[in-house]
Amino acid sequence: KAGVTQTPRYLIKTRGQQVTLSCSPISGHRSVSWYQQTPGQGLQFLFEYFSETQRNKGNFPGRFSGRQFSNSRSEMNVSTLELGDSALYLCASSLEPGLTDTQYFGPGTRLTVL
Amino acid sequence: QKEVEQDPGPLSVPEGAIVSLNCTYSNSAFQYFMWYRQYSRKGPELLMYTYSSGNKEDGRFTAQVDKSSKYISLFIRDSQPSDSATYLCAMSVRSGGYNKLIFGAGTRLAVHP
């Protein structure tokens, strides 16, 4: 079974731009969560989607948004990029929402903001 | 103060050594405790999962939880160079009707031949 895939793997943007990251969950998994990983703050939860609805949200500004499609694929968008948004963005999928013990992570998208 | 504290290391050990990785936490409501391993340029993968105090063993790995001291550990026996990675502890708590997962900062481990 294919794992969680994320595209693109690497991105370089400049301040003020916006970016869209994509995540395809494991086949059959309906819940997708997004995390931001930085050396200073570690892994922090962004939001979780299930059945095309955001079910849970972390403490991030409104510039961070996401959506989920009917095939469970998910995208996250960051608008008006800031230098501090440089991070590894990880997507994780699970069969159902809230199953934090059986989340499978993708390889991440490395975003660099210049 | 962070809810979950983890020494970032790095920790360097010779092959065959017993490795001890630790996390402390402040929220007594944490219910589930996990250890993830993250290789360079990869996403985290779940290694161990437990919800009660005590020990849980899986091959060379043992997870230990002490809820009274708010302390969890991961022991790696007979460490191998392939164990070189960052190890993240994570804890789950029910909050606002949802499960919330909090990660430690991660400890970088290097096992040298």
Side-chain angles (χ1 to χ4, degrees):
Chain A
K1 191 185 266 192
V4 178
T5 57
Q6 291 187 246
T7 57
R9 292 293 311 278
Y10 302 93
L11 261 181
I12 299 176
K13 293 284 187 179
T14 55
R15 276 182 300 173
Q17 286 187 310
Q18 76 161 19
V19 67
T20 299
L21 313 180
S22 181
C23 171
S24 292
I26 290 172
S27 177
H29 283 195
R30 301 191 295 161
S31 174
V32 173
S33 296
W34 288 90
Y35 295 84
Q36 181 196 64
Q37 187 174 32
T38 60
Q41 298 297 319
L43 249 167
Q44 293 185 289
F45 172 74
L46 278 156
F47 26 66
E48 179 182 30
Y49 284 88
F50 175 74
S51 291
E52 302 176 64
T53 302
Q54 187 180 90
R55 284 182 46 94
N56 199 358
K57 191 177 189 303
N59 296 326
F60 278 83
R63 300 185 295 108
F64 292 82
S65 63
R67 59 177 175 166
Q68 186 180 35
F69 302 95
S70 57
N71 61 357
S72 295
R73 190 177 69 84
S74 177
E75 287 181 348
M76 69 161 280
N77 185 76
V78 188
S79 62
T80 320
L81 284 166
E82 300 176 1
L83 294 179
D85 296 334
S86 294
L88 180 67
Y89 288 89
L90 291 158
C91 162
S93 76
S94 59
L95 281 168
E96 300 289 337
L99 296 182
T100 51
D101 57 314
T102 50
Q103 281 189 336
Y104 295 87
F105 284 84
T109 294
R110 172 77 60 188
L111 171 65
T112 302
V113 182
L114 303 176
Chain B
Q1 185 192 4
K2 290 185 176 179
E3 284 187 277
V4 178
E5 297 280 359
Q6 183 177 11
D7 187 337
L11 184 60
S12 181
V13 301
E15 184 175 355
I18 296 174
V19 177
S20 171
L21 303 166
N22 311 295
C23 288
T24 58
Y25 62 95
S26 56
N27 188 346
S28 57
F30 283 132
Q31 298 169 296
Y32 301 98
F33 305 89
M34 287 146 275
W35 284 95
Y36 285 83
R37 177 175 62 195
Q38 186 174 19
Y39 290 114
S40 180
R41 303 184 192 284
K42 302 272 190 177
E45 58 174 320
L46 182 65
L47 270 180
M48 302 283 287
Y49 159 81
T50 184
Y51 58 88
S52 58
S53 281
N55 293 352
K56 182 176 181 180
E57 197 172 310
D58 185 0
R60 297 185 295 112
F61 298 91
T62 299
Q64 186 177 80
V65 174
D66 183 345
K67 288 188 176 181
S68 62
S69 300
K70 298 191 182 73
Y71 188 90
I72 70 170
S73 298
L74 178 70
F75 298 98
I76 307 174
R77 289 184 299 282
D78 187 25
S79 56
Q80 303 294 310
S82 58
D83 294 327
S84 298
T86 297
Y87 290 80
L88 301 132
C89 63
M91 306 181 189
S92 176
V93 63
R94 195 84 177 153
S95 173
Y98 302 105
N99 285 337
K100 180 179 161 185
L101 194 60
I102 309 292
F103 284 85
T107 299
R108 206 150 39 96
L109 170 68
V111 181
H112 51 87

